Amino acid sequence: MKKRIKIIFCFIITLLIVTQTGCQSERELNQLVIVMGIGLDSDQQNPDNIKVIAQIVLPGSMKQSENGGSSGSSGKAYENVESSSSDTFDAVREYTHMLTGKLYIAHNQIFIISRAVAEKGMEQYMDFFIRAVETRPTAIIAISDTTAEAVLSVQSKLNEFPAINIQKLVEDSVSHSQTAEVNLINYINAMQSETVSFFAPMVFIEQNAEGTVASVKGLAVFSRDKMVGEFNEDETRGLLWVKGLVKSGVLKVTVSGGIASLEISGAQGSVSPSVEDGKVSMKITVSAKTRLGEQTGKEDLSTPEMTKMLEGLAEEKIENEITQAYTKAVSLGADVFGFGEQIHKYYMNDWRKMKDKWAETFPQIQLDMKINVDVTADGTITKPILSEKGTNNE
Amino acid sequence: MVRYIKKIRTFYKIKKGSESGKAPEIFDDGECLHSSISENIVIIKDRIGESPDVNIKEFKLGGDGVSGALIMIDGLSDKELADLIVLKPLMYDAGFKFEAGGSGGIDIDVINRNFLSSNQSSKLSCFGKVIDDILSGNAVLLLDGAAQALSIGLRKWDKRNIDAPKTETVIRGPAEGFTETLIVNTSMLRRRIKSPDFRMESLKIGKQTKTDVCLIYMRNIVLPGLLDEVRKRLMAISTDSILDSGYIEAYIEDAPFSIFSTVGNSERPDTVAARLLEGRIAIVVDGSPFVLTVPMVFIESFQSAEDYYIRPYFATLLRFTRILCYFITLLAPALYVALTTYHQEFLPTKLLFTMTAGLSGVPFPALVEALLMVVIFDILKEAGIRLPKPIGSAVSIVGALVIGQSAVTAGLIGPFMVIIVSITAIANFVVPAQSDSITIMRYIFLILAAALGGFGIAMGILFILIYLVSLKSFGVQYLSPIMPFYREGMKDCFVRMPVWDMIKRPFRITGKNIKRRSGLEQRGKKT
């Protein structure tokens, strides 16, 4: 009898553990307010305030467009909601007055920050998102040339959500290497470093015949959490060469009689610092594999001599890009290359001495570039099919 | 709580053990036959009762000599054969030798030797044995003046033909299954293993039913201790009735409160023969086409007879498929509930949209939705088995179309739940041997997932693993050869190695005779 009571007691306890402690963070799928993208704008009326724009998914209208087909084009699958307050958390809380349910930011793909906010310093507004458990650390950070709201309203033909569209554009930047994919983790790392400057892709809005189009190119360069300037496409690639982030892209060189475009099929880049008597020099090694993608002239570029010449021109071009990037970085006073970190890593004692006057040391660095380009293939043809006389029928 | 369950188990075992050592009870009060035939007939009639199927034929030897009687049950004994081999020789040929009121006694041995052309006859002297023999289908011959009776083996009754097994069907491999008749079943096994070491032991279990139970083993392979244990447990059974091998299973299994079965069964003679040759013991029960095999291991549920008849690569692929299906059918609804209510961030973003779109307008929480569909599936499954075949198809149409399609259109459940339950249902039939425990655990996992999310599922799996590791079947760990690890056993576990590579038997339970083949010659092909 006593045994039986004990068994029943154990059973009840198990039941209570399951039923009473559980279901705490339970949330049904159809109660979620899924956020695809978050924009941070400065408030026009009240400059001290931050305007948080959330792109939320409307699952109902998505379903319609699946079934209806033709009727689908009428309804948008998303909606941008905005609220404004003195701090981000408060602004996000404001949404509870407007939406049935809390914002669910675990699927947030992108943070778009307006130029105004970025120039003012964005860390105070990002703290909330970095602190939140739900935030995806791989969410991309992009800087809007105008406002975040404008970028989040540009409807794309290929992607249903503007936020996803920008995210895809940034991710696809590997094909031209003229902007970089930067996510929340990179941001956090850069902010924690003493000298490294943060950079993020720039989003521009361009008007064309069919309406507005968002385009991603170049980089916004930061000093600490404040945006100080921009890199154009060439400077961006110069930076990416050094960081070894170039994966693909096109190198255009001028040859006699036209232009030759070399498609980059793979590249490596590395930096090794050396400090001698307080003089800092950086050995930058870049090696790239390319193939001839296009030529506008009629010359036969497939001969060994011409290939050598092409490689030389390409190396010159890369060197030029890197120099441009370095010059721009010096003018902005932003160590985007992470040279400081390199010295910190390999020359601890020297670093302690030069840490405080790094701003003066950075422009003095001597770049020692070793660039090697290989043209490995010419495509399916060697010389152009309409080539110069006499060389055609050998 | 586990400790308390264990206590119940030990208590149960002690209870079972206390009755051991007693031989199965045979209805025998030791009263001996009298020499007067009329007295004997009265007593037998009194014992058996005046049932219409009890056939007592009284006759006189040689037409007018000593009176005799042949007693048998209609439908259990062969009447025509009785006429031919008992009545005809005695009534027409034996009369001149035994005249009425002759030399006083009558020698029943002479009758047996000289006149009965039966190859199966034995002498009985007690009423208990006489009644038993009559009831099991033998014909009993009584003669006036003899205090003994002759039992003549004339058992014959209508039985089902050997048929393809209803469960465990294969494409390649033998297509015969066990039937309800014990002697047919044992003959099917004997035909496969023509070894003098193939041994059978017969028992009668059940005070009322007196069911024939046959213990089969390979004398040279089986571990003597295991055989003793099985014998002991069978002897200890004290019950009224054994109507199917399931009764035996309930009495001899190690963990009577477990949801996992620790006694294997099969309807296929080739499967049982293979298990005998692995050193296991088979228990054949008269009246049941399912033969029990002990000990049972967990991985056995994932092995099919066909695995050994097809090429090893494909057999291995099938093994993995079955194991995958086991987890799908066990966890799919629970994972769905956990993912949609707790771990939405685990879903790919695109999938989240479609799922949210599918769920918009569904009035129930995910748990209710899942429970609803799982219960409906169980109802359909049960109805499909019990219904007469012609109606069965109607049920599946109603189940598939009305419930599946309409429930989604009506907005009662989301379309994803239908997919989840469908795959759960299909995967359920891939591992039929574990389907009962899966069904129970599926509900448990559903509730755990709804209450605690992925953590709950992980806890559930952990608990079940701990339990399985501690489970034993006749001294063999339930999870062997995985835990404890046994290399030879692993050759027939997740991966089915070529038959010629399985040199040793997969269990450590076998006696000295571990090797199936010497293993020196590589495949027999090489000279």
Side-chain angles (χ1 to χ4, degrees):
Chain A
M1 197 58 208
K2 217 174 168 187
K3 205 177 273 177
R4 185 162 296 172
I5 288 170
K6 272 187 180 171
I7 292 170
I8 293 168
F9 195 64
C10 285
F11 181 72
I12 290 171
I13 285 177
T14 319
L15 208 71
L16 285 177
I17 288 170
V18 169
T19 53
Q20 300 306 300
T21 64
C23 313
Q24 269 200 354
S25 55
E26 186 253 7
R27 252 184 311 190
E28 287 295 330
L29 212 52
N30 42 18
Q31 293 164 6
L32 296 179
V33 180
I34 304 166
V35 178
M36 291 318 303
I38 286 174
L40 296 179
D41 266 342
S42 60
D43 201 334
Q44 242 65 4
Q45 279 104 46
N46 189 348
D48 285 340
N49 273 9
I50 182 81
K51 196 158 86 179
V52 178
I53 299 135
Q55 184 153 96
I56 59 169
V57 180
L58 306 176
S61 54
M62 273 187 74
K63 200 179 183 184
Q64 265 178 9
S65 63
E66 272 165 31
N67 296 342
S70 58
S71 68
S73 56
S74 61
K76 280 195 298 182
Y78 67 92
E79 198 183 310
N80 289 343
V81 288
E82 54 173 72
S83 83
S84 168
S85 183
S86 58
D87 61 272
T88 316
F89 195 13
D90 203 37
V92 169
R93 277 281 159 197
E94 278 291 305
Y95 283 119
T96 47
H97 298 298
M98 312 174 223
L99 301 167
T100 58
K102 264 170 71 184
L103 292 186
Y104 182 66
I105 56 171
H107 278 274
N108 176 41
Q109 305 292 332
I110 190 161
F111 289 101
I112 291 171
I113 291 141
S114 76
R115 195 188 189 109
V117 173
E119 278 169 351
K120 209 170 132 195
M122 58 195 255
E123 178 42 32
Q124 53 168 319
Y125 304 120
M126 291 303 285
D127 181 81
F128 166 76
F129 297 109
I130 296 165
R131 212 173 279 280
V133 186
E134 271 177 6
T135 323
R136 221 164 246 241
T138 53
I140 283 165
I141 296 178
I143 309 298
S144 163
D145 188 40
T146 56
T147 60
E149 193 179 7
V151 170
L152 283 173
S153 312
V154 178
Q155 180 79 48
S156 148
K157 291 244 160 45
L158 292 174
N159 291 300
E160 241 175 318
F161 304 101
I164 301 278
N165 185 40
I166 308 290
Q167 181 218 2
K168 288 257 158 75
L169 284 175
V170 173
E171 278 176 358
D172 290 349
S173 67
V174 284
S175 60
H176 50 74
S177 301
Q178 286 178 337
T179 186
E181 187 184 331
V182 175
N183 60 31
L184 204 56
I185 300 176
N186 302 129
Y187 172 76
I188 294 167
N189 286 344
M191 286 302 128
Q192 283 176 333
S193 160
E194 284 172 69
T195 55
V196 174
S197 284
F198 177 66
F199 54 88
M202 287 290 293
V203 186
F204 296 91
I205 292 176
E206 287 166 7
Q207 297 286 340
N208 65 10
E210 287 171 37
T212 50
V213 169
S215 81
V216 178
K217 57 192 174 194
L219 291 177
V221 176
F222 286 70
S223 165
R224 307 304 298 157
D225 67 330
K226 289 188 179 66
M227 178 174 167
V228 288
E230 272 176 70
F231 270 20
N232 65 20
E233 285 100 309
D234 281 353
E235 289 154 0
T236 303
R237 196 157 68 188
L239 167 66
L240 296 184
W241 284 120
V242 176
K243 295 196 84 97
L245 290 171
V246 175
K247 291 279 170 291
S248 177
V250 176
L251 275 173
K252 229 188 268 179
V253 291
T254 320
V255 289
S256 56
I259 285 168
S261 298
L262 296 172
E263 195 190 349
I264 304 159
S265 55
Q268 271 113 43
S270 63
V271 180
S272 61
S274 68
V275 181
E276 274 170 35
D277 312 331
K279 291 275 274 176
V280 181
S281 70
M282 290 284 160
K283 195 174 162 200
I284 297 167
T285 320
V286 174
S287 71
K289 277 202 169 68
T290 61
R291 56 174 172 257
L292 187 60
E294 186 191 32
Q295 73 171 96
T296 53
K298 288 178 181 171
E299 214 169 342
D300 181 3
L301 295 177
S302 64
T303 59
E305 301 83 51
M306 291 307 274
T307 307
K308 255 227 148 66
M309 188 208 74
L310 274 181
E311 287 171 357
L313 286 171
E315 282 159 12
E316 217 172 275
K317 166 106 176 147
I318 292 172
E319 199 175 325
N320 190 22
E321 282 180 353
I322 294 174
T323 317
Q324 272 185 51
Y326 176 67
T327 318
K328 187 67 169 281
V330 166
S331 73
L332 295 174
D335 179 10
V336 279
F337 299 95
F339 287 156
E341 278 297 290
Q342 292 288 331
I343 297 168
H344 187 186
K345 229 188 248 174
Y346 296 103
Y347 295 91
M348 268 290 271
N349 296 327
D350 294 306
W351 174 247
R352 281 202 194 107
K353 277 177 259 162
M354 64 176 76
K355 189 162 75 173
D356 297 327
K357 44 178 185 163
W358 179 245
E360 291 107 73
T361 319
F362 180 60
Q364 313 284 315
I365 295 172
Q366 193 193 333
L367 297 185
D368 182 7
M369 284 183 264
K370 228 185 132 200
I371 292 153
N372 176 40
V373 174
D374 280 333
V375 179
T376 53
D378 301 313
T380 52
I381 52 171
T382 49
K383 54 194 169 194
I385 46 171
L386 187 68
S387 59
E388 281 167 355
K389 263 183 206 167
T391 57
N392 211 358
N393 301 315
E394 278 175 33
Chain B
M1 190 158 172
V2 183
R3 200 187 295 150
Y4 283 106
I5 292 172
K6 262 190 185 152
K7 267 189 184 167
I8 306 170
R9 274 171 60 194
T10 29
F11 173 66
Y12 199 89
K13 265 182 198 160
I14 291 162
K15 213 173 100 189
K16 273 206 293 189
S18 66
E19 280 163 312
S20 68
K22 227 193 283 173
E25 227 171 301
I26 292 164
F27 185 68
D28 192 356
D29 53 7
E31 189 182 351
C32 287
L33 286 164
H34 304 279
S35 51
S36 155
I37 188 167
S38 48
E39 232 175 292
N40 285 341
I41 289 175
V42 168
I43 291 172
I44 289 170
K45 270 189 181 166
D46 182 48
R47 290 267 177 96
I48 298 184
E50 298 270 352
S51 304
D53 62 341
V54 181
N55 187 347
I56 303 178
K57 161 77 180 169
E58 290 181 60
F59 61 94
K60 285 195 184 301
L61 260 67
D64 56 353
V66 179
S67 52
L70 187 70
I71 309 169
M72 57 190 206
I73 307 267
D74 276 355
L76 290 187
S77 309
D78 192 345
K79 267 204 241 173
E80 282 164 32
L81 205 60
D83 291 348
L84 198 70
I85 69 168
V86 183
L87 292 177
K88 189 171 163 286
L90 290 180
M91 286 174 77
Y92 296 108
D93 312 335
F96 56 92
K97 292 249 173 100
F98 301 94
E99 276 156 27
S103 51
I106 189 158
D107 193 351
I108 207 141
D109 283 328
V110 176
I111 300 280
N112 190 9
R113 265 202 309 273
N114 301 1
F115 297 101
L116 293 182
S117 48
S118 159
N119 64 2
Q120 200 185 354
S121 58
S122 59
K123 279 194 294 181
L124 306 171
S125 52
C126 298
F127 277 110
K129 282 296 280 177
V130 168
I131 304 281
D132 272 355
D133 266 41
I134 294 171
L135 290 178
S136 61
N138 288 337
V140 170
L141 177 70
L142 297 169
L143 289 172
D144 198 19
Q148 279 178 317
L150 265 183
S151 161
I152 303 150
L154 289 175
R155 286 187 192 195
K156 190 190 176 187
W157 51 82
D158 286 332
K159 58 196 175 213
R160 191 162 66 93
N161 288 331
I162 294 179
D163 214 347
K166 293 241 166 22
T167 59
E168 304 172 70
T169 41
V170 298
I171 296 168
R172 181 171 169 182
E176 60 175 15
F178 287 121
T179 70
E180 281 77 6
T181 316
L182 180 106
I183 203 76
V184 175
N185 292 350
T186 54
S187 72
M188 280 198 272
L189 289 172
R190 172 80 80 179
R191 221 176 62 219
R192 282 184 166 75
I193 309 173
K194 298 177 196 74
S195 157
D197 290 313
F198 178 90
R199 292 296 162 91
M200 297 202 266
E201 279 174 24
S202 184
L203 292 165
K204 268 197 202 308
I205 302 177
K207 280 188 200 113
Q208 302 289 337
T209 57
K210 296 197 177 69
T211 312
D212 288 308
V213 175
C214 202
L215 197 65
I216 306 180
Y217 54 91
M218 296 299 293
R219 195 191 58 163
N220 57 342
I221 301 171
V222 76
L223 191 73
L226 175 68
L227 185 61
D228 288 343
E229 178 65 28
V230 176
R231 222 185 259 142
K232 202 183 89 194
R233 288 193 198 179
L234 282 176
M235 299 278 212
I237 298 174
S238 153
T239 179
D240 249 12
S241 56
I242 299 291
L243 295 178
D244 185 87
S245 53
Y247 283 52
I248 301 272
E249 181 179 336
Y251 278 105
I252 64 170
E253 65 189 341
D254 284 64
F257 292 104
S258 174
I259 56 168
F260 290 94
S261 158
T262 47
V263 175
N265 66 62
S266 177
E267 213 183 342
R268 300 182 58 84
D270 51 336
T271 305
V272 174
R275 288 184 189 166
L276 285 177
L277 291 167
E278 283 174 357
R280 293 191 233 192
I281 297 170
I283 300 162
V284 191
V285 179
D286 191 33
S288 172
F290 287 91
V291 172
L292 305 179
T293 52
V294 291
M296 184 206 184
V297 288
F298 186 62
I299 201 74
E300 199 176 303
S301 318
F302 300 93
Q303 297 168 340
S304 152
E306 200 171 0
D307 288 356
Y308 306 93
Y309 308 147
I310 56 177
R311 298 183 52 72
Y313 302 112
F314 186 50
T316 304
L317 182 71
L318 286 180
R319 286 268 165 93
F320 280 114
T321 313
R322 285 186 206 121
I323 291 164
L324 177 73
C325 284
Y326 182 81
F327 286 107
I328 288 178
T329 188
L330 188 64
L331 297 176
L335 279 176
Y336 173 81
V337 169
L339 279 178
T340 53
T341 51
Y342 289 96
H343 314 295
Q344 292 96 349
E345 61 271 20
F346 283 3
L347 294 167
T349 308
K350 278 269 168 74
L351 184 66
L352 181 78
F353 292 162
T354 14
M355 283 176 88
T356 317
L359 278 175
S360 63
V362 174
F364 301 120
L367 172 69
V368 176
E369 198 191 4
L371 272 179
L372 199 73
M373 281 312 279
V374 171
V375 168
I376 286 174
F377 161 62
D378 281 342
I379 292 172
L380 282 175
K381 192 172 77 170
E382 190 59 18
I385 298 168
R386 308 285 166 231
L387 275 179
K389 279 221 175 73
I391 313 174
S393 57
V395 168
S396 48
I397 291 169
V398 170
L401 291 179
V402 179
I403 299 183
Q405 183 67 39
S406 318
V408 176
T409 3
L412 204 59
I413 51 162
F416 277 86
M417 197 60 228
V418 178
I419 299 172
I420 297 286
V421 166
S422 310
I423 185 68
T424 305
I426 295 164
N428 186 47
F429 296 109
V430 176
V431 196
Q434 291 289 343
S435 117
D436 48 353
S437 65
I438 290 172
T439 311
I440 297 166
M441 285 194 290
R442 192 185 294 139
Y443 286 106
I444 296 171
F445 274 114
L446 255 181
I447 289 164
L448 279 176
L452 304 165
F455 176 73
I457 296 178
M459 281 295 117
I461 291 175
L462 206 63
F463 187 83
I464 283 166
L465 265 180
I466 291 170
Y467 174 69
L468 283 181
V469 166
S470 69
L471 200 59
K472 273 187 179 184
S473 165
F474 288 83
V476 174
Q477 275 87 353
Y478 201 54
L479 280 190
S480 68
I482 307 155
M483 177 68 230
F485 185 79
Y486 181 46
R487 199 171 155 269
E488 283 300 310
M490 290 305 283
K491 287 185 177 175
D492 188 16
C493 190
F494 301 116
V495 176
R496 204 279 277 169
M497 297 295 273
V499 183
W500 48 262
D501 191 48
M502 297 183 198
I503 294 164
K504 288 181 185 165
R505 300 179 207 283
F507 295 107
R508 288 186 203 261
I509 49 161
T510 49
K512 289 172 218 149
N513 193 350
I514 320 169
K515 286 193 174 180
R516 297 189 212 236
R517 58 197 290 272
S518 76
L520 290 174
E521 76 279 6
Q522 266 309 294
R523 284 167 51 191
K525 203 175 160 189
K526 272 187 193 167
T527 48

